[in-house]
Amino acid sequence: MEQLVGTGVALVTPFNDDFSVDVKALERIVEHCIQGGVDYLVVLGTTGESVTLSKTDKQLVIDVVIRANAGRLPLVLGVGGNNTAAVVEELSTLDLSDFDAILSVTPCYNKPTQEGIYQHFRAISNASPKPIVLYNVPSRTGSNMLPETTLRLAHDFSNIVAIKEACGDMVQIDEIIKGKPEDFLMISGDDFTALPTVLAGGSGVISVLGQGLPRAFSKMIGLGQNGNSEEAYQIHHDLLPVMQLIFQEGNPAGIKSIFDHFGLCNPEVRLPLVKASPELRNKISDFLKSFDQVYA
């Protein structure tokens, strides 16, 4: 899966003031990412607020991204949930012809055992017509897919090709890198661990910040892939303050504030999320004014 090496970005879903999907803004964001040098786009993930989108909204987002991308970058679609049968049914009805892979998150709220997680993805593997990227994000799901489960899935199912690992634990990440099949991709799901993961032997990142500052983030990952750790860490350290800021009041409120600063979309999010406070938006804008001068 060469398509999934490098910098992927988890696209936001921009909204109008009435909270309908802002089609023009989504087109602008896709173009911003492509011109900024990212390697692939992830549609309808957590950052895309997929849990508060209707079926009609989701199809609109898919159609807009496919049209705006125009075949230029690989596309990954988020298809996951905590009802295994519903995920399997969705895979049987979706038109996935424009997508290179699906991203499927571990079940939230149910808190399954490791065997339950394994059997969930076994069912998805058997149903999916596309390669599967596992997504482990314990801070959101309430359960952690342990390395032995990830590696078991990686070795048992040829269409499970990668993991987006957002555990935030480099020991866990290293365990997977050490035991994975050669062609299985370790993808960081956390902006803070993106560069360390690449330098440890990972394949790249699916980033939140990378869509707001694609040129700098992609350059950092590329330098890491080439073993230029000193220059890569300089960019990492320059980005660290805004990494912290964009998650301070939840995701995607922070990243939408970056897009608001650039005039790409407004900062609206759907309830139960709320947009970033004026204080946070001012801090993000102040950072970007100085950062623009360094990476213009």
Side-chain angles (χ1 to χ4, degrees), residues 152-169:
R152 186 181 170 199
L153 289 163
H155 285 284
D156 288 356
F157 303 103
S158 60
N159 64 341
I160 295 180
V161 298
I163 183 169
K164 178 186 177 184
E165 182 56 82
C167 64
D169 181 353

Side-chain angles (χ1 to χ4, degrees), residues 71-124:
R72 288 177 288 177
L73 294 183
L75 299 176
V76 177
L77 181 66
V79 186
N82 61 352
N83 180 343
T84 307
V87 177
V88 168
E89 172 65 20
E90 188 175 6
L91 286 169
S92 71
T93 58
L94 282 170
D95 178 4
L96 296 171
S97 55
D98 289 288
F99 291 91
D100 294 86
I102 67 161
L103 175 70
S104 199
V105 68
T106 57
C108 67
Y109 190 74
N110 314 59
K111 296 190 77 172
T113 63
Q114 295 300 305
E115 183 62 26
I117 294 172
Y118 176 88
Q119 293 298 336
H120 172 80
F121 284 118
R122 178 176 182 269
I124 290 172

Side-chain angles (χ1 to χ4, degrees), residues 32 40 48 68-69 71 86 92 124 138 147 158 160 163 173 212 230 252 255 290 292-293:
H32 175 73
Y40 61 99
N69 181 53
S92 71
I124 290 172
S158 60
I160 295 180
I163 183 169
I173 290 167
E230 184 175 350
I255 187 63
S290 60
D292 285 348
Q293 297 172 11

Side-chain angles (χ1 to χ4, degrees), residues 106-294:
T106 57
C108 67
Y109 190 74
N110 314 59
K111 296 190 77 172
T113 63
Q114 295 300 305
E115 183 62 26
I117 294 172
Y118 176 88
Q119 293 298 336
H120 172 80
F121 284 118
R122 178 176 182 269
I124 290 172
S125 172
N126 290 335
S128 179
K130 292 288 182 173
I132 299 160
V133 180
L134 307 172
Y135 181 18
N136 185 42
V137 55
S139 63
R140 286 185 176 271
T141 62
S143 64
N144 182 23
M145 182 164 63
L146 297 176
E148 52 263 37
T149 304
T150 300
L151 295 172
R152 186 181 170 199
L153 289 163
H155 285 284
D156 288 356
F157 303 103
S158 60
N159 64 341
I160 295 180
V161 298
I163 183 169
K164 178 186 177 184
E165 182 56 82
C167 64
D169 181 353
M170 283 305 301
V171 173
Q172 181 162 319
I173 290 167
D174 284 335
E175 282 187 46
I176 297 170
I177 291 173
K178 182 176 67 174
K180 71 180 184 64
E182 185 177 354
D183 57 353
F184 183 84
L185 304 182
M186 164 57 76
I187 300 170
S188 172
D190 183 343
D191 288 340
F192 296 97
T193 62
L195 180 58
T197 297
V198 168
L199 293 173
S203 303
V205 63
I206 295 176
S207 173
V208 175
L209 180 59
Q211 66 192 299
L213 297 170
R215 199 170 304 280
F217 211 98
S218 298
K219 182 178 180 180
M220 177 186 74
I221 296 300
L223 288 166
Q225 289 172 310
N226 290 328
N228 191 338
S229 59
E230 184 175 350
E231 190 175 352
Y233 262 116
Q234 181 59 59
I235 299 174
H236 171 86
H237 293 142
D238 288 344
L239 288 172
L240 196 56
V242 78
M243 287 184 198
Q244 295 168 329
L245 286 172
I246 65 168
F247 294 106
Q248 197 172 99
E249 294 181 4
N251 182 40
I255 187 63
K256 282 189 172 181
S257 295
I258 288 183
F259 286 137
D260 185 40
H261 173 87
F262 290 140
L264 293 171
C265 78
N266 72 33
E268 299 297 342
V269 292
R270 283 185 178 175
L271 289 169
L273 301 180
V274 293
K275 65 184 177 183
S277 65
E279 293 79 12
L280 179 58
R281 296 205 300 273
N282 287 338
K283 288 179 182 178
I284 289 172
S285 290
D286 287 345
F287 172 87
L288 292 171
K289 288 171 187 173
S290 60
F291 188 80
D292 285 348
Q293 297 172 11
V294 178

